[in-house]
């Protein structure tokens, strides 16, 4: 790393208000060079706002930001980057129609005279990509990348900009265990080079593994800091929520094995993604789907919902074949027959964040609220009920979905896919990017749905989530369902072994 030297930071009584709403209340703490800090707090605690002030995306309303002892107020993110302070956004900040190299150097283009030096940018982009372990051609268009690859491009972009203080916001949310391990080695390398890293994550096991010190915020205030080695995960969680957090996962109820499955899938294929897949899920059961990124889990369910072409196989709902044999024509068709799906891409596909809460909630069940014309009062009544029923925290029913925290957006998205009153609901990464308190709320909500007789399928990259929540877990590898494990066989080691192809197949359940 070259050129910019160390970056020491002090937040001195930082206040931030958006209009009449104050979100930071006199936050004070310091960051020393060459340390990895875990910045913890529930969604809405003020972590992201504080980091946006540090990286030039927002300005403080009061207090002082000091860099290397000098008060600074950045006019833009470019001013912060000039000092080596770079924020890797949780929501990708990439131009889909540009290639990878162009994205990495966007706004920082290399030139040869008056012309862009594409060769130099591609060469340096390849070096940054290699540092994060992403083996792709830097001339590849970003729109062709999967989500995990986009995350690694964001990290490579920061590496290419010679960051001396790097803020990582949920950097492993889409990464495989192997990619995560490579990222951790890169973090250790950067720390040895004197780079300060602020690591924001709701995965407390990662915070425990990769950070030197944890700093906890709650309700826009600094509440605690301690060496990571001196704080247990349970203590971290309790500090974040401000109370003793009871068991994260609800108790597992027994599932009735008599009668027809809620859904039975046999020999189902999605060309290029899933081959000859068979499984069933019963009313009241929580069935997990595990596997590495690219294993075909999401694509399998997109095929069932008519979002991808499917070939071969059959599907039954409560013992009756679906009208079109293999899957449905589109998600609305699937919802009419009892299957709904919550996308892993909450803001891209799960919600219209610029729409109101009411419009989002009723979008999948408009026929109930629009016969013969739209009935806003009925929609509003449904929203008031959903806010109470699903624990959605909002100051008003008349706000956009974008105003909610990540956990509350996820609860709204879940309420939306349950509006058509399905028999089976598929939840793809239901707790990605939400805090530990909201996770617990969602887990207990999933259990309640199962108790009410709904069949719930949970696709998740968090193995402990599947182990703590599910009755059975199906494991996919390279487009094939390779094992289905009962609760008594659920361990991280067993799931990873099947997902990576290193399991003793004679022991598979």
């Amino acid at each position: 790393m070259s050129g910019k030297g160390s970056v020491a930071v002090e937040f001195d009584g930082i206040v931030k208000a958006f209009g009449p709403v104050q979100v930071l209340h006199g936050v004070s703490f310091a960051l020393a060079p060459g340390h990895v800090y875990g910045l913890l707090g529930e969604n809405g605690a003020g972590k992201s706002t504080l980091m946006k002030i540090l990286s030039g995306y927002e300005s403080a309303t009061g207090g002082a930001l000091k860099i290397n002892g000098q008060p600074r107020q950045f006019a833009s993110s470019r001013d912060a980057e000039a000092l080596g302070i770079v924020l890797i956004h949780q929501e990708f900040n990439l131009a889909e129609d540009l290639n990878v190299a162009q994205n990495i150097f966007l706004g920082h283009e290399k030139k040869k005279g008056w012309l862009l030096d594409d060769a130099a940018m591609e060469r340096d982009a390849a070096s940054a990509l290699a540092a994060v372990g992403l083996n792709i051609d830097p001339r590849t268009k970003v729109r062709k990348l999967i989500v995990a690859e986009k995350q690694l491009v964001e990290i490579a972009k920061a590496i290419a900009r010679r960051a001396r203080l790097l803020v990582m916001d949920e950097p492993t949310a889409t990464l495989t265990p192997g990619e995560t391990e490579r990222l951790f080695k890169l973090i250790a390398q950067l720390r040895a080079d004197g780079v300060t890293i602020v690591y924001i994550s709701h995965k407390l096991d990662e915070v425990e593994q990769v950070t030197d010190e944890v700093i906890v915020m709650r309700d826009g205030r600094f509440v605690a800091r301690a060496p990571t080695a001196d704080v247990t995960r349970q203590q971290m969680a309790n500090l974040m929520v401000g109370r003793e957090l009871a068991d994260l996962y609800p108790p597992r109820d027994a599932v009735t094995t008599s009668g027809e499955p809620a859904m039975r899938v046999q020999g189902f294929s999605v060309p290029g993604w899933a081959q000859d897949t068979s499984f069933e899920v019963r009313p009241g059961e929580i069935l997990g789907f595990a596997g590495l990124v690219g294993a075909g889990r999401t694509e399998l369910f997109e095929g069932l919902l008519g979002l991808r072409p499917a070939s071969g196989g059959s599907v039954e709902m409560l013992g009756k074949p679906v009208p079109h044999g293999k899957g449905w024509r589109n998600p609305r068709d699937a919802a009419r027959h009892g299957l709904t799906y919550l996308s892993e891409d909450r803001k891209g596909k799960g919600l219209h964040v610029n729409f109101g809460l009411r419009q989002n909630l009723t979008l999948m069940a408009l026929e109930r609220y629009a016969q013969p014309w739209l009935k806003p009062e009925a929609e509003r009544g449904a929203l008031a009920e959903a806010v109470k029923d699903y624990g959605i925290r909002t100051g008003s029913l008349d706000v956009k979905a974008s105003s909610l925290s990540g956990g509350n957006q996820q609860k709204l998205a879940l309420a939306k896919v349950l509006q058509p009153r399905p028999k089976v609901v598929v939840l793809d990464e239901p707790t990605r990017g939400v805090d530990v308190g909201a996770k617990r709320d969602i887990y207990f909500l999933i259990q309640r749905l199962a108790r009410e007789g709904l069949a719930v399928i949970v696709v998740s990259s968090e193995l402990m989530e599947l182990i703590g929540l599910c009755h059975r877990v199906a494991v996919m590898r390279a487009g094939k369902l390779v094992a289905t494990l009962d609760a008594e066989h659920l361990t991280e080691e067993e799931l990873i072994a099947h997902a990576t192809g290193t399991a003793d197949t004679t022991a598979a359940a």
Side-chain angles (χ1 to χ4, degrees):
M1 302 292 250
S2 68
K4 297 189 179 82
S6 298
V7 176
V9 172
E10 183 183 353
F11 300 105
D12 184 5
I14 296 291
V15 173
K16 178 63 177 178
F18 294 98
V21 180
Q22 189 168 333
V23 295
L24 294 177
H25 304 265
V27 176
S28 299
F29 63 85
L31 305 173
H35 288 69
V36 181
Y37 297 95
L39 183 57
L40 306 181
E42 293 190 273
N43 289 112
K47 312 182 301 293
S48 294
T49 301
L50 186 67
M51 290 302 103
K52 285 178 180 177
I53 291 170
L54 172 61
S55 53
Y57 290 91
E58 297 283 356
S59 57
T61 308
L65 168 65
K66 297 178 182 177
I67 307 296
N68 295 333
Q70 300 299 313
R72 297 296 298 253
Q73 187 159 353
F74 299 124
S76 70
S77 60
R78 292 198 64 150
D79 285 355
E81 287 184 6
L83 289 181
I85 300 170
V86 178
L87 168 64
I88 301 173
H89 297 264
Q90 182 182 358
E91 306 297 336
F92 302 142
N93 193 23
L94 298 171
E96 294 276 318
D97 290 324
L98 297 182
N99 69 32
V100 170
Q102 289 166 337
N103 268 278
I104 286 176
F105 288 98
L106 189 61
H108 300 262
E109 289 81 2
K110 292 178 176 288
K111 293 184 178 179
K112 186 186 291 183
W114 292 97
L115 301 176
L116 294 177
D117 192 347
D118 290 323
M121 288 190 286
E122 288 165 10
R123 183 178 61 249
D124 290 355
S127 176
L129 293 169
V132 301
L134 184 55
N135 182 27
I136 59 170
D137 188 329
R139 293 168 295 185
T140 305
K141 287 285 192 346
V142 164
R143 66 169 176 266
K144 294 183 178 179
L145 304 182
I146 62 172
V147 173
E149 291 170 334
K150 291 178 182 178
Q151 178 67 77
L152 292 171
V153 169
E154 285 280 19
I155 297 168
K157 185 165 68 172
I159 299 299
R161 293 182 184 180
R162 302 291 191 262
R164 301 307 298 170
L165 188 151
L166 186 55
V167 181
M168 295 183 170
D169 195 352
E170 297 289 348
T172 66
T174 62
L175 303 185
T176 66
E179 289 165 341
T180 297
E181 196 58 41
R182 187 174 286 124
L183 175 63
F184 288 173
K185 289 178 181 175
L186 175 62
I187 289 172
Q189 177 187 329
L190 292 168
R191 174 175 51 190
D193 195 42
V195 178
T196 309
I197 294 173
V198 180
Y199 192 90
I200 302 173
S201 179
H202 298 305
K203 298 180 180 179
L204 299 184
D205 56 328
E206 292 184 0
V207 172
E208 189 176 62
Q209 183 178 342
V210 80
T211 67
D212 302 310
E213 191 172 352
V214 292
I215 296 170
V216 184
M217 292 181 65
R218 187 170 66 243
D219 299 327
R221 295 174 171 84
F222 165 84
V223 293
R225 73 184 298 167
T228 307
D230 295 347
V231 188
T232 66
R233 293 184 212 174
Q234 187 66 46
Q235 288 170 327
M236 292 181 202
N238 292 342
L239 284 167
M240 287 165 63
V241 300
R243 63 184 188 277
E244 287 295 315
L245 195 65
D247 290 340
L248 191 58
Y249 300 103
R252 239 188 235 103
D253 296 333
V255 177
T256 303
T257 55
S258 60
E260 291 288 351
M263 183 169 74
R264 177 184 283 130
V265 177
Q266 293 181 301
F268 191 84
S269 295
V270 179
W273 289 103
Q275 307 160 41
D276 194 26
T277 307
S278 299
F279 67 92
E280 61 182 45
V281 59
R282 294 187 167 273
E285 182 179 20
I286 304 170
L287 173 66
F289 267 75
L292 304 181
V293 173
R297 298 166 301 164
T298 293
E299 293 79 11
L300 167 66
F301 289 102
E302 287 179 344
L304 283 167
L305 286 145
L307 292 168
R308 290 178 182 270
S311 64
S314 63
V315 184
E316 295 177 1
M317 296 291 284
L318 293 175
K320 297 179 181 178
V322 303
H324 313 292
K326 55 178 194 306
W328 289 270
R329 293 174 298 189
N330 53 56
R332 189 167 293 278
D333 184 30
R336 276 196 291 265
H337 291 93
L339 174 67
T340 58
Y341 171 71
L342 177 59
S343 170
E344 63 177 335
D345 184 0
R346 179 174 69 231
K347 292 190 176 179
K349 298 175 183 174
L351 292 174
H352 293 275
V353 292
N354 291 319
F355 284 15
L357 307 187
R358 173 173 57 85
Q359 292 91 333
N360 269 287
L361 177 71
T362 61
L363 195 58
M364 290 183 67
L366 278 177
E367 60 272 12
R368 198 184 313 154
Y369 303 98
Q371 288 184 351
W373 49 76
L374 194 62
K375 300 180 177 66
E377 281 311 307
E379 287 186 300
R380 190 174 179 83
L383 176 60
E385 185 178 339
V387 164
K388 181 181 178 182
D389 209 23
Y390 297 98
I392 301 168
R393 296 181 187 175
T394 176
S396 167
L397 299 183
D398 300 311
V399 296
K400 291 181 179 179
S402 59
S403 71
L404 301 181
S405 70
N408 286 302
Q409 285 185 359
Q410 193 72 339
K411 292 175 187 176
L412 176 64
L414 183 54
K416 168 190 164 184
V417 300
L418 293 171
Q419 274 288 300
R421 299 168 184 161
K423 301 179 183 73
V424 181
V425 62
V426 180
L427 308 178
D428 199 343
E429 303 289 0
T431 64
R432 174 176 290 166
V434 307
D435 61 69
V436 66
K439 278 188 176 184
R440 185 179 185 275
D441 290 347
I442 290 170
Y443 296 151
F444 276 77
L445 178 56
I446 289 171
Q447 183 215 40
R448 193 186 85 200
L449 297 174
R451 279 183 172 172
E452 292 170 357
L454 194 64
V456 185
I457 296 174
V458 176
V459 180
S460 178
S461 300
E462 293 197 35
L463 300 184
M464 286 309 300
E465 180 167 277
L466 295 174
I467 292 166
L469 196 60
C470 299
H471 296 94
R472 294 182 300 136
V473 176
V475 186
M476 291 188 69
R477 185 178 74 251
K480 294 183 178 179
L481 201 163
V482 294
T484 302
L485 307 178
D486 293 324
E488 58 266 28
H489 294 102
L490 291 180
T491 65
E492 285 188 276
E493 294 75 17
E494 191 76 9
L495 290 173
I496 289 171
H498 286 291
T500 57
T502 59
D504 176 2
T505 54
T506 61

